[in-house]
């Protein structure tokens, strides 16, 4: 038994049949093309990360070297920087990774001609920043480029409730026939914050000595991503902004600080002790009535475990804080057991890098997650109104070294 297209069509035959099935055929070809191009996106990422991992890692490290970021932020930033490298930076000064990937696919000669042609059109891809002018349906948007004012139709892989008309999108757009799709992922911004961003970005472009918006975005994209995520250049966590789960925990930190200040020791010792105590409280959630005991235990913990201190005996510190030696000793053992990993990390770091204490930063000793919003630091949202400030080095203006 032969099977024809008519056997699968609900419309019957004749002119109605021809119109319906021609339309279905177009939809089917679009789906095939989208499937092939989506697969090529993943193949391109695999090609870049496996064939050029060292090249990409070196470039990414240049931009993130002085940044303080939590794990989630760093993971997302790395993806965006990899995307930028693939389309922008020439490997060995010859070809971009995108161009190399196209040549590889030509040699393999396995893609349909139309798919190969579409893939070749990706070579000129640059980061784009666009305003959402219309939400066509759950998967289709109309956007307008902030530099060229060109309007495009964008197809999403799935419905995104966060996107709104008047908002904006940042990412790398790839041609997909009559519409475009974002490479891997994109950043969306609310309508109320978009005008300020548009103003700052256009002002930056006006001041840049570049021919067009594409060249501008290629140049500033890494710094723009850093600025959007609020990464402060070279700044480590602010100890004063720690949020404590229990007022007694903060009281211990304050008592410890008072006694260390009286000894005229550098502020690094105060902060190091506070961070060890904060980490201990986060992990162990201690319950106690007398903060002086743990303040004394912390004082002894730092004095004993920083190799160039060791000024006091347990009796000295117990007397200094007005607690018994037995209670100090018991609390000290709790600190030592609870902070074993952090202490090992500290000693390994100091021995491996042969640093002076002044060179130590807290993100080198503790997990970056210790400083995130969930765990304690009450950081303000990044101020995007000063991305191109001339008074200080703007993350937005940061380019490859």
């Amino acid at each position: 038994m032969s099977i024809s297209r008519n056997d699968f069509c609900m419309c019957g035959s004749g002119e109605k049949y021809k119109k319906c099935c021609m339309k279905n055929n177009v939809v089917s070809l679009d789906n095939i093309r989208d499937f092939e191009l989506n697969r090529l996106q993943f193949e391109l990422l695999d090609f870049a990360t496996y064939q050029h991992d060292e090249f990409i890692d070196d470039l990414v490290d240049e931009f993130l070297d002085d940044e303080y970021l939590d794990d989630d932020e760093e993971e997302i930033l790395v993806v965006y920087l990899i995307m930028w490298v693939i389309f922008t930076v020439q490997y060995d000064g010859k070809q971009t990774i995108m161009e190399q990937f196209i040549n590889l696919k030509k040699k393999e000669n396995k893609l349909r001609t139309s798919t190969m042609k579409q893939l070749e059109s990706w070579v000129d891809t640059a980061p784009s920043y666009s305003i959402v002018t219309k939400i066509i349906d759950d998967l289709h948007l109309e956007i307008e480029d902030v530099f060229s004012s060109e309007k495009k139709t964008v197809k999403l892989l799935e419905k995104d409730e966060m996107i709104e008309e008047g908002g904006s999108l940042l990412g790398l757009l790839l041609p997909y026939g009559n519409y475009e799709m974002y490479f891997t992922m994109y950043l969306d911004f609310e309508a109320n914050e978009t005008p300020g961003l548009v103003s700052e970005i256009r002002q930056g472009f006006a001041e840049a000595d570049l021919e067009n918006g594409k060249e501008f975005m290629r140049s500033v994209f890494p710094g723009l991503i850093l600025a959007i995520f609020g990464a402060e250049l070279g700044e480590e966590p602010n100890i004063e902004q720690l949020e404590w789960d229990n007022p007694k925990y903060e009281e211990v930190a304050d008592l410890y600080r008072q006694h260390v200040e009286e000894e005229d020791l550098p502020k690094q010792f105060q902060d190091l002790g506070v961070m060890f105590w904060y980490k201990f409280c986060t992990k162990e959630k201690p319950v106690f009535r007398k903060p002086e005991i743990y303040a004394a235990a912390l004082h002894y913990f730092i004095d004993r475990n920083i190799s160039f201190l060791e000024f006091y005996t347990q009796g000295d510190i117990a007397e200094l804080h007005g607690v018994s030696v037995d209670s100090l000793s018991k609390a000290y053992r709790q600190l030592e057991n609870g902070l074993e990993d952090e202490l090992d990390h500290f000693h390994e770091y100091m021995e491996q890098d042969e640093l002076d204490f002044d060179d130590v930063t807290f993100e080198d000793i503790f997990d970056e997650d210790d400083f995130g919003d969930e765990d304690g630091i009450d950081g303000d949202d990044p101020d995007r109104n000063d991305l191109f400030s001339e008074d200080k080095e703007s993350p937005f203006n940061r380019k490859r070294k």
Side-chain angles (χ1 to χ4, degrees), residues 70-106:
D70 66 31
D71 289 342
D72 290 338
E73 286 176 337
E74 183 170 352
E75 184 177 349
I76 296 172
L77 280 168
V78 166
V79 173
Y80 278 109
L81 290 174
I82 289 173
M83 291 160 55
W84 172 79
V85 170
I86 288 172
F87 290 94
T88 305
V89 183
Q90 291 185 336
Y91 181 74
D92 289 340
K94 298 177 181 178
Q95 290 183 319
T96 63
I97 294 174
M98 180 70 240
E99 290 171 324
Q100 291 185 1
F101 182 71
I102 290 172
N103 290 335
L104 173 65
K105 289 302 172 182
K106 285 181 177 178

mmCIF file of all heavy atoms in Angstrom, residues 70-106:
data_model
loop_
_atom_site.group_PDB
_atom_site.id
_atom_site.type_symbol
_atom_site.label_atom_id
_atom_site.label_comp_id
_atom_site.label_asym_id
_atom_site.label_seq_id
_atom_site.Cartn_x
_atom_site.Cartn_y
_atom_site.Cartn_z
ATOM 1 N N ASP A 70 30.656 35.398 43.150
ATOM 2 C CA ASP A 70 30.261 34.124 43.727
ATOM 3 C C ASP A 70 30.194 33.079 42.611
ATOM 4 O O ASP A 70 30.314 33.391 41.426
ATOM 5 C CB ASP A 70 28.941 34.226 44.500
ATOM 6 C CG ASP A 70 27.740 34.541 43.621
ATOM 7 O OD1 ASP A 70 27.730 34.127 42.448
ATOM 8 O OD2 ASP A 70 26.807 35.195 44.107
ATOM 9 N N ASP A 71 30.025 31.816 42.961
ATOM 10 C CA ASP A 71 30.109 30.726 41.989
ATOM 11 C C ASP A 71 29.070 30.866 40.885
ATOM 12 O O ASP A 71 29.364 30.620 39.708
ATOM 13 C CB ASP A 71 29.938 29.374 42.695
ATOM 14 C CG ASP A 71 31.153 29.025 43.554
ATOM 15 O OD1 ASP A 71 32.218 29.634 43.335
ATOM 16 O OD2 ASP A 71 31.031 28.155 44.433
ATOM 17 N N ASP A 72 27.833 31.225 41.253
ATOM 18 C CA ASP A 72 26.777 31.345 40.251
ATOM 19 C C ASP A 72 27.090 32.459 39.261
ATOM 20 O O ASP A 72 26.910 32.304 38.046
ATOM 21 C CB ASP A 72 25.427 31.608 40.921
ATOM 22 C CG ASP A 72 24.924 30.398 41.685
ATOM 23 O OD1 ASP A 72 25.378 29.272 41.365
ATOM 24 O OD2 ASP A 72 24.100 30.568 42.598
ATOM 25 N N GLU A 73 27.533 33.605 39.756
ATOM 26 C CA GLU A 73 27.881 34.718 38.880
ATOM 27 C C GLU A 73 29.014 34.333 37.941
ATOM 28 O O GLU A 73 28.970 34.601 36.740
ATOM 29 C CB GLU A 73 28.293 35.941 39.710
ATOM 30 C CG GLU A 73 27.164 36.660 40.398
ATOM 31 C CD GLU A 73 27.668 37.790 41.262
ATOM 32 O OE1 GLU A 73 28.858 37.743 41.661
ATOM 33 O OE2 GLU A 73 26.902 38.715 41.552
ATOM 34 N N GLU A 74 30.043 33.711 38.507
ATOM 35 C CA GLU A 74 31.206 33.353 37.693
ATOM 36 C C GLU A 74 30.827 32.367 36.598
ATOM 37 O O GLU A 74 31.287 32.485 35.456
ATOM 38 C CB GLU A 74 32.311 32.768 38.570
ATOM 39 C CG GLU A 74 33.575 32.449 37.788
ATOM 40 C CD GLU A 74 34.741 32.105 38.692
ATOM 41 O OE1 GLU A 74 34.625 32.264 39.918
ATOM 42 O OE2 GLU A 74 35.770 31.686 38.163
ATOM 43 N N GLU A 75 29.983 31.401 36.917
ATOM 44 C CA GLU A 75 29.575 30.406 35.929
ATOM 45 C C GLU A 75 28.875 31.066 34.745
ATOM 46 O O GLU A 75 29.160 30.745 33.584
ATOM 47 C CB GLU A 75 28.650 29.378 36.587
ATOM 48 C CG GLU A 75 28.237 28.244 35.657
ATOM 49 C CD GLU A 75 27.384 27.207 36.367
ATOM 50 O OE1 GLU A 75 27.274 27.252 37.619
ATOM 51 O OE2 GLU A 75 26.823 26.360 35.672
ATOM 52 N N ILE A 76 27.973 31.996 35.022
ATOM 53 C CA ILE A 76 27.253 32.683 33.952
ATOM 54 C C ILE A 76 28.185 33.591 33.164
ATOM 55 O O ILE A 76 28.165 33.626 31.928
ATOM 56 C CB ILE A 76 26.074 33.488 34.528
ATOM 57 C CG1 ILE A 76 25.057 32.542 35.165
ATOM 58 C CG2 ILE A 76 25.404 34.319 33.439
ATOM 59 C CD1 ILE A 76 23.949 33.243 35.917
ATOM 60 N N LEU A 77 29.029 34.331 33.866
ATOM 61 C CA LEU A 77 29.965 35.229 33.196
ATOM 62 C C LEU A 77 30.904 34.469 32.270
ATOM 63 O O LEU A 77 31.198 34.917 31.159
ATOM 64 C CB LEU A 77 30.772 36.006 34.238
ATOM 65 C CG LEU A 77 30.072 37.201 34.873
ATOM 66 C CD1 LEU A 77 30.850 37.691 36.080
ATOM 67 C CD2 LEU A 77 29.931 38.325 33.868
ATOM 68 N N VAL A 78 31.376 33.318 32.714
ATOM 69 C CA VAL A 78 32.282 32.522 31.890
ATOM 70 C C VAL A 78 31.602 32.120 30.589
ATOM 71 O O VAL A 78 32.203 32.186 29.509
ATOM 72 C CB VAL A 78 32.781 31.280 32.661
ATOM 73 C CG1 VAL A 78 33.449 30.282 31.719
ATOM 74 C CG2 VAL A 78 33.768 31.688 33.754
ATOM 75 N N VAL A 79 30.334 31.731 30.658
ATOM 76 C CA VAL A 79 29.606 31.345 29.449
ATOM 77 C C VAL A 79 29.523 32.519 28.478
ATOM 78 O O VAL A 79 29.790 32.373 27.274
ATOM 79 C CB VAL A 79 28.196 30.831 29.790
ATOM 80 C CG1 VAL A 79 27.394 30.590 28.504
ATOM 81 C CG2 VAL A 79 28.276 29.542 30.588
ATOM 82 N N TYR A 80 29.183 33.696 28.979
ATOM 83 C CA TYR A 80 29.076 34.860 28.100
ATOM 84 C C TYR A 80 30.430 35.238 27.494
ATOM 85 O O TYR A 80 30.512 35.629 26.326
ATOM 86 C CB TYR A 80 28.486 36.053 28.858
ATOM 87 C CG TYR A 80 26.982 36.005 28.948
ATOM 88 C CD1 TYR A 80 26.341 35.742 30.151
ATOM 89 C CD2 TYR A 80 26.196 36.211 27.828
ATOM 90 C CE1 TYR A 80 24.961 35.685 30.232
ATOM 91 C CE2 TYR A 80 24.813 36.158 27.900
ATOM 92 C CZ TYR A 80 24.203 35.883 29.110
ATOM 93 O OH TYR A 80 22.839 35.819 29.177
ATOM 94 N N LEU A 81 31.481 35.135 28.282
ATOM 95 C CA LEU A 81 32.808 35.449 27.756
ATOM 96 C C LEU A 81 33.237 34.434 26.705
ATOM 97 O O LEU A 81 33.874 34.791 25.709
ATOM 98 C CB LEU A 81 33.818 35.509 28.900
ATOM 99 C CG LEU A 81 33.666 36.708 29.847
ATOM 100 C CD1 LEU A 81 34.623 36.584 31.023
ATOM 101 C CD2 LEU A 81 33.897 38.025 29.111
ATOM 102 N N ILE A 82 32.905 33.167 26.911
ATOM 103 C CA ILE A 82 33.215 32.141 25.906
ATOM 104 C C ILE A 82 32.480 32.460 24.608
ATOM 105 O O ILE A 82 33.048 32.367 23.506
ATOM 106 C CB ILE A 82 32.835 30.741 26.417
ATOM 107 C CG1 ILE A 82 33.792 30.302 27.529
ATOM 108 C CG2 ILE A 82 32.858 29.718 25.272
ATOM 109 C CD1 ILE A 82 33.391 29.002 28.200
ATOM 110 N N MET A 83 31.208 32.821 24.719
ATOM 111 C CA MET A 83 30.428 33.183 23.534
ATOM 112 C C MET A 83 31.102 34.336 22.792
ATOM 113 O O MET A 83 31.206 34.323 21.555
ATOM 114 C CB MET A 83 29.010 33.571 23.963
ATOM 115 C CG MET A 83 28.177 32.407 24.470
ATOM 116 S SD MET A 83 26.757 32.918 25.493
ATOM 117 C CE MET A 83 25.919 34.051 24.409
ATOM 118 N N TRP A 84 31.541 35.330 23.536
ATOM 119 C CA TRP A 84 32.203 36.495 22.926
ATOM 120 C C TRP A 84 33.502 36.089 22.232
ATOM 121 O O TRP A 84 33.774 36.511 21.108
ATOM 122 C CB TRP A 84 32.461 37.535 24.013
ATOM 123 C CG TRP A 84 33.296 38.702 23.567
ATOM 124 C CD1 TRP A 84 32.889 39.785 22.845
ATOM 125 C CD2 TRP A 84 34.693 38.900 23.822
ATOM 126 N NE1 TRP A 84 33.942 40.653 22.638
ATOM 127 C CE2 TRP A 84 35.060 40.124 23.231
ATOM 128 C CE3 TRP A 84 35.652 38.162 24.494
ATOM 129 C CZ2 TRP A 84 36.354 40.619 23.291
ATOM 130 C CZ3 TRP A 84 36.951 38.650 24.561
ATOM 131 C CH2 TRP A 84 37.291 39.868 23.958
ATOM 132 N N VAL A 85 34.305 35.252 22.877
ATOM 133 C CA VAL A 85 35.577 34.804 22.304
ATOM 134 C C VAL A 85 35.335 34.064 20.984
ATOM 135 O O VAL A 85 36.044 34.286 19.997
ATOM 136 C CB VAL A 85 36.336 33.891 23.291
ATOM 137 C CG1 VAL A 85 37.534 33.236 22.605
ATOM 138 C CG2 VAL A 85 36.801 34.690 24.505
ATOM 139 N N ILE A 86 34.352 33.190 20.959
ATOM 140 C CA ILE A 86 34.082 32.361 19.778
ATOM 141 C C ILE A 86 33.899 33.212 18.524
ATOM 142 O O ILE A 86 34.426 32.892 17.450
ATOM 143 C CB ILE A 86 32.832 31.486 20.006
ATOM 144 C CG1 ILE A 86 33.155 30.364 21.002
ATOM 145 C CG2 ILE A 86 32.321 30.905 18.694
ATOM 146 C CD1 ILE A 86 31.937 29.559 21.438
ATOM 147 N N PHE A 87 33.185 34.322 18.633
ATOM 148 C CA PHE A 87 32.843 35.120 17.461
ATOM 149 C C PHE A 87 33.745 36.329 17.238
ATOM 150 O O PHE A 87 33.670 36.950 16.181
ATOM 151 C CB PHE A 87 31.391 35.605 17.570
ATOM 152 C CG PHE A 87 30.373 34.518 17.426
ATOM 153 C CD1 PHE A 87 29.867 33.876 18.549
ATOM 154 C CD2 PHE A 87 29.920 34.130 16.176
ATOM 155 C CE1 PHE A 87 28.920 32.866 18.423
ATOM 156 C CE2 PHE A 87 28.978 33.126 16.035
ATOM 157 C CZ PHE A 87 28.472 32.483 17.165
ATOM 158 N N THR A 88 34.575 36.652 18.219
ATOM 159 C CA THR A 88 35.273 37.936 18.160
ATOM 160 C C THR A 88 36.790 37.832 18.071
ATOM 161 O O THR A 88 37.433 38.569 17.317
ATOM 162 C CB THR A 88 34.916 38.789 19.402
ATOM 163 O OG1 THR A 88 33.507 38.906 19.489
ATOM 164 C CG2 THR A 88 35.540 40.173 19.316
ATOM 165 N N VAL A 89 37.396 36.955 18.850
ATOM 166 C CA VAL A 89 38.855 36.926 18.971
ATOM 167 C C VAL A 89 39.456 35.951 17.968
ATOM 168 O O VAL A 89 39.029 34.795 17.878
ATOM 169 C CB VAL A 89 39.283 36.529 20.404
ATOM 170 C CG1 VAL A 89 40.798 36.564 20.531
ATOM 171 C CG2 VAL A 89 38.633 37.459 21.418
ATOM 172 N N GLN A 90 40.440 36.412 17.230
ATOM 173 C CA GLN A 90 41.115 35.546 16.259
ATOM 174 C C GLN A 90 42.124 34.642 16.955
ATOM 175 O O GLN A 90 42.951 35.108 17.735
ATOM 176 C CB GLN A 90 41.818 36.378 15.197
ATOM 177 C CG GLN A 90 40.867 37.116 14.268
ATOM 178 C CD GLN A 90 41.600 37.835 13.154
ATOM 179 O OE1 GLN A 90 42.771 38.175 13.279
ATOM 180 N NE2 GLN A 90 40.898 38.088 12.059
ATOM 181 N N TYR A 91 42.043 33.362 16.663
ATOM 182 C CA TYR A 91 42.980 32.389 17.223
ATOM 183 C C TYR A 91 44.273 32.448 16.414
ATOM 184 O O TYR A 91 44.268 32.314 15.188
ATOM 185 C CB TYR A 91 42.375 30.985 17.160
ATOM 186 C CG TYR A 91 43.255 29.906 17.745
ATOM 187 C CD1 TYR A 91 43.411 29.792 19.120
ATOM 188 C CD2 TYR A 91 43.940 29.027 16.923
ATOM 189 C CE1 TYR A 91 44.216 28.816 19.671
ATOM 190 C CE2 TYR A 91 44.752 28.035 17.461
ATOM 191 C CZ TYR A 91 44.883 27.935 18.829
ATOM 192 O OH TYR A 91 45.690 26.965 19.372
ATOM 193 N N ASP A 92 45.396 32.666 17.094
ATOM 194 C CA ASP A 92 46.710 32.816 16.449
ATOM 195 C C ASP A 92 46.712 33.952 15.426
ATOM 196 O O ASP A 92 47.494 33.943 14.468
ATOM 197 C CB ASP A 92 47.135 31.511 15.761
ATOM 198 C CG ASP A 92 47.511 30.434 16.753
ATOM 199 O OD1 ASP A 92 47.811 30.793 17.907
ATOM 200 O OD2 ASP A 92 47.502 29.243 16.398
ATOM 201 N N GLY A 93 45.832 34.928 15.639
ATOM 202 C CA GLY A 93 45.806 36.084 14.754
ATOM 203 C C GLY A 93 45.313 35.792 13.359
ATOM 204 O O GLY A 93 45.511 36.605 12.445
ATOM 205 N N LYS A 94 44.649 34.648 13.158
ATOM 206 C CA LYS A 94 44.245 34.250 11.809
ATOM 207 C C LYS A 94 42.731 34.180 11.648
ATOM 208 O O LYS A 94 42.146 34.897 10.851
ATOM 209 C CB LYS A 94 44.876 32.902 11.456
ATOM 210 C CG LYS A 94 46.402 32.935 11.432
ATOM 211 C CD LYS A 94 46.977 31.541 11.150
ATOM 212 C CE LYS A 94 48.500 31.563 11.156
ATOM 213 N NZ LYS A 94 49.075 30.208 10.930
ATOM 214 N N GLN A 95 42.096 33.294 12.404
ATOM 215 C CA GLN A 95 40.662 33.095 12.263
ATOM 216 C C GLN A 95 40.000 33.045 13.631
ATOM 217 O O GLN A 95 40.625 32.671 14.611
ATOM 218 C CB GLN A 95 40.358 31.777 11.539
ATOM 219 C CG GLN A 95 40.713 31.759 10.069
ATOM 220 C CD GLN A 95 40.303 30.430 9.436
ATOM 221 O OE1 GLN A 95 40.470 29.375 10.034
ATOM 222 N NE2 GLN A 95 39.745 30.497 8.233
ATOM 223 N N THR A 96 38.741 33.444 13.652
ATOM 224 C CA THR A 96 37.984 33.245 14.876
ATOM 225 C C THR A 96 37.627 31.763 14.989
ATOM 226 O O THR A 96 37.705 31.009 14.015
ATOM 227 C CB THR A 96 36.685 34.066 14.869
ATOM 228 O OG1 THR A 96 35.854 33.613 13.791
ATOM 229 C CG2 THR A 96 36.968 35.545 14.722
ATOM 230 N N ILE A 97 37.227 31.346 16.165
ATOM 231 C CA ILE A 97 36.788 29.958 16.359
ATOM 232 C C ILE A 97 35.564 29.676 15.496
ATOM 233 O O ILE A 97 35.418 28.568 14.961
ATOM 234 C CB ILE A 97 36.492 29.701 17.846
ATOM 235 C CG1 ILE A 97 37.798 29.795 18.658
ATOM 236 C CG2 ILE A 97 35.837 28.335 18.051
ATOM 237 C CD1 ILE A 97 37.609 29.692 20.158
ATOM 238 N N MET A 98 34.692 30.656 15.315
ATOM 239 C CA MET A 98 33.519 30.485 14.462
ATOM 240 C C MET A 98 33.945 30.182 13.028
ATOM 241 O O MET A 98 33.390 29.280 12.384
ATOM 242 C CB MET A 98 32.667 31.758 14.507
ATOM 243 C CG MET A 98 31.398 31.703 13.661
ATOM 244 S SD MET A 98 30.151 30.581 14.309
ATOM 245 C CE MET A 98 29.973 29.434 12.955
ATOM 246 N N GLU A 99 34.915 30.898 12.520
ATOM 247 C CA GLU A 99 35.398 30.660 11.159
ATOM 248 C C GLU A 99 36.032 29.274 11.029
ATOM 249 O O GLU A 99 35.847 28.584 10.015
ATOM 250 C CB GLU A 99 36.406 31.747 10.772
ATOM 251 C CG GLU A 99 35.770 33.117 10.568
ATOM 252 C CD GLU A 99 36.787 34.220 10.389
ATOM 253 O OE1 GLU A 99 37.858 34.171 11.039
ATOM 254 O OE2 GLU A 99 36.517 35.147 9.607
ATOM 255 N N GLN A 100 36.762 28.866 12.045
ATOM 256 C CA GLN A 100 37.348 27.527 12.029
ATOM 257 C C GLN A 100 36.261 26.452 12.007
ATOM 258 O O GLN A 100 36.384 25.440 11.308
ATOM 259 C CB GLN A 100 38.253 27.326 13.238
ATOM 260 C CG GLN A 100 39.534 28.142 13.210
ATOM 261 C CD GLN A 100 40.450 27.799 14.377
ATOM 262 O OE1 GLN A 100 40.131 26.950 15.195
ATOM 263 N NE2 GLN A 100 41.577 28.479 14.458
ATOM 264 N N PHE A 101 35.212 26.676 12.765
ATOM 265 C CA PHE A 101 34.118 25.705 12.830
ATOM 266 C C PHE A 101 33.418 25.595 11.473
ATOM 267 O O PHE A 101 33.078 24.490 11.027
ATOM 268 C CB PHE A 101 33.124 26.141 13.904
ATOM 269 C CG PHE A 101 31.968 25.199 14.098
ATOM 270 C CD1 PHE A 101 32.163 23.960 14.699
ATOM 271 C CD2 PHE A 101 30.692 25.557 13.681
ATOM 272 C CE1 PHE A 101 31.091 23.087 14.879
ATOM 273 C CE2 PHE A 101 29.620 24.696 13.870
ATOM 274 C CZ PHE A 101 29.819 23.455 14.459
ATOM 275 N N ILE A 102 33.223 26.714 10.792
ATOM 276 C CA ILE A 102 32.604 26.702 9.466
ATOM 277 C C ILE A 102 33.463 25.894 8.495
ATOM 278 O O ILE A 102 32.961 25.064 7.720
ATOM 279 C CB ILE A 102 32.393 28.136 8.951
ATOM 280 C CG1 ILE A 102 31.295 28.831 9.764
ATOM 281 C CG2 ILE A 102 32.031 28.136 7.462
ATOM 282 C CD1 ILE A 102 31.139 30.302 9.456
ATOM 283 N N ASN A 103 34.765 26.125 8.519
ATOM 284 C CA ASN A 103 35.668 25.388 7.630
ATOM 285 C C ASN A 103 35.632 23.893 7.922
ATOM 286 O O ASN A 103 35.704 23.063 6.998
ATOM 287 C CB ASN A 103 37.093 25.910 7.770
ATOM 288 C CG ASN A 103 37.257 27.313 7.193
ATOM 289 O OD1 ASN A 103 36.493 27.708 6.306
ATOM 290 N ND2 ASN A 103 38.232 28.052 7.680
ATOM 291 N N LEU A 104 35.529 23.538 9.196
ATOM 292 C CA LEU A 104 35.442 22.131 9.575
ATOM 293 C C LEU A 104 34.186 21.495 8.982
ATOM 294 O O LEU A 104 34.228 20.372 8.440
ATOM 295 C CB LEU A 104 35.427 22.005 11.093
ATOM 296 C CG LEU A 104 35.179 20.602 11.665
ATOM 297 C CD1 LEU A 104 36.324 19.664 11.295
ATOM 298 C CD2 LEU A 104 34.999 20.658 13.180
ATOM 299 N N LYS A 105 33.069 22.197 9.078
ATOM 300 C CA LYS A 105 31.806 21.668 8.569
ATOM 301 C C LYS A 105 31.816 21.571 7.046
ATOM 302 O O LYS A 105 31.194 20.674 6.454
ATOM 303 C CB LYS A 105 30.633 22.528 9.035
ATOM 304 C CG LYS A 105 30.340 22.394 10.529
ATOM 305 C CD LYS A 105 30.049 20.944 10.879
ATOM 306 C CE LYS A 105 29.937 20.696 12.344
ATOM 307 N NZ LYS A 105 29.697 19.267 12.650
ATOM 308 N N LYS A 106 32.531 22.460 6.395
ATOM 309 C CA LYS A 106 32.670 22.376 4.941
ATOM 310 C C LYS A 106 33.443 21.129 4.542
ATOM 311 O O LYS A 106 33.073 20.422 3.587
ATOM 312 C CB LYS A 106 33.372 23.621 4.407
ATOM 313 C CG LYS A 106 32.509 24.870 4.365
ATOM 314 C CD LYS A 106 33.285 26.039 3.793
ATOM 315 C CE LYS A 106 32.405 27.278 3.684
ATOM 316 N NZ LYS A 106 33.163 28.445 3.165
#
